[in-house]
Amino acid sequence: MALTLHHLNDSRSVRILWLLEEAGIPYELVRYQRDAKTHLAPESLKAIHPLGKSPVIEENGKIIAESGAIVEYLIARYAPHLAPAADTPDYIDYLQWVHFAESSAMLPVLLKIFGEFEQKTGTRMNFLAGYADTEFEKVFGFLNETLATRQFIVGDALSGADIMLGFVVNTALDQLNAGERFPHLQRYAQRLKSLPGWQKVQEIEANAR
């Protein structure tokens, strides 16, 4: 069964399209078009993944979202020549830059784009605030539902995914008072906070103040 890329025009999905072409990986392309006025993705993408975003790939019934995860998966499975060997110093740099692109680098780009959009339309701050609210509810609502029947985000034990998510979740709950709206997230956060490693971190942080 061929790999399928659910591709939205003018989106980060171009990364995956480029990778598939660069590596010569066979794939089927399913296209989605942004709304000409709002520039938002069509509702039909939500039938593929609850967040309704792209890129999303589908292979053997498994849906994979998030650019970094897709890039790592495809390179590991089909194109190992596009990554340094895992036992070399270059591999550490490679991982940092893969995740830098979507974390440190992407947010300021989006903020600049939103700022320019507001200046052009004369809706200063309204668009940015509305977008932030919508995205927050969508993303954390999805995460809340995912954790409804799970102790940890992957499998039955703590993993690096929980360590990555723990900071984000606790920041959202503690600083944005979102716990009442997302009870499963609240339960998840409390479980993480009960772990010895997390508690040790709090001791270290407290002693540094």
Side-chain angles (χ1 to χ4, degrees):
M1 177 180 174
L3 181 149
T4 299
L5 170 63
H6 296 274
H7 176 68
L8 177 67
N9 67 305
D10 295 331
S11 78
R12 283 167 270 196
S13 181
V14 72
R15 293 167 169 161
I16 311 307
L17 190 58
W18 179 18
L19 173 56
L20 292 169
E21 290 291 337
E22 191 73 29
I25 303 170
Y27 68 96
E28 177 185 351
L29 186 65
V30 180
R31 297 176 181 270
Y32 301 81
Q33 293 293 318
R34 292 184 181 276
D35 185 277
K37 291 183 178 179
T38 65
H39 207 58
L40 297 177
E43 286 292 309
S44 54
L45 259 175
K46 290 183 178 177
I48 308 303
H49 189 280
L51 289 180
K53 293 186 176 185
S54 178
V56 175
I57 65 170
E58 186 174 358
E59 187 175 44
N60 298 322
K62 181 69 175 178
I63 299 294
I64 309 174
E66 301 300 334
S67 300
I70 295 171
V71 166
E72 287 198 51
Y73 168 75
L74 290 177
I75 288 177
R77 183 175 175 108
Y78 296 106
H81 64 284
L82 291 177
D87 59 351
T88 65
D90 282 347
Y91 186 73
I92 299 172
D93 293 335
Y94 162 77
L95 282 182
Q96 289 186 104
W97 287 116
V98 165
H99 293 282
F100 171 89
E102 191 59 21
S103 53
S104 296
M106 198 66 202
L107 178 58
V109 170
L110 288 176
L111 291 175
K112 291 287 286 182
I113 290 172
F114 294 156
E116 291 184 6
F117 178 87
E118 290 172 349
Q119 289 181 355
K120 290 177 182 178
T121 60
T123 55
R124 184 127 180 109
M125 297 307 294
N126 291 336
F127 176 78
L128 181 56
Y131 178 87
D133 288 343
T134 299
E135 285 296 294
F136 183 86
E137 295 298 323
K138 177 168 62 178
V139 170
F140 280 84
F142 167 66
L143 190 54
N144 184 66
E145 289 305 309
T146 299
L147 287 163
T149 58
R150 301 185 189 186
Q151 302 297 305
F152 297 97
I153 195 66
V154 178
D156 299 321
L158 182 73
S159 73
D162 297 298
I163 292 171
M164 286 292 291
L165 275 175
F167 177 79
V168 179
V169 168
N170 279 288
T171 298
L173 297 181
D174 295 343
Q175 297 189 24
L176 301 176
N177 300 315
E180 291 185 3
R181 301 201 307 282
F182 305 116
H184 304 307
L185 273 185
Q186 183 83 347
R187 175 174 50 81
Y188 173 70
Q190 291 303 318
R191 180 174 302 107
L192 297 183
K193 288 179 178 179
S194 71
L195 297 174
W198 181 282
Q199 293 177 7
K200 181 62 176 178
V201 167
Q202 303 316 302
E203 293 177 14
I204 294 171
E205 290 279 270
N207 290 334
R209 295 189 183 100

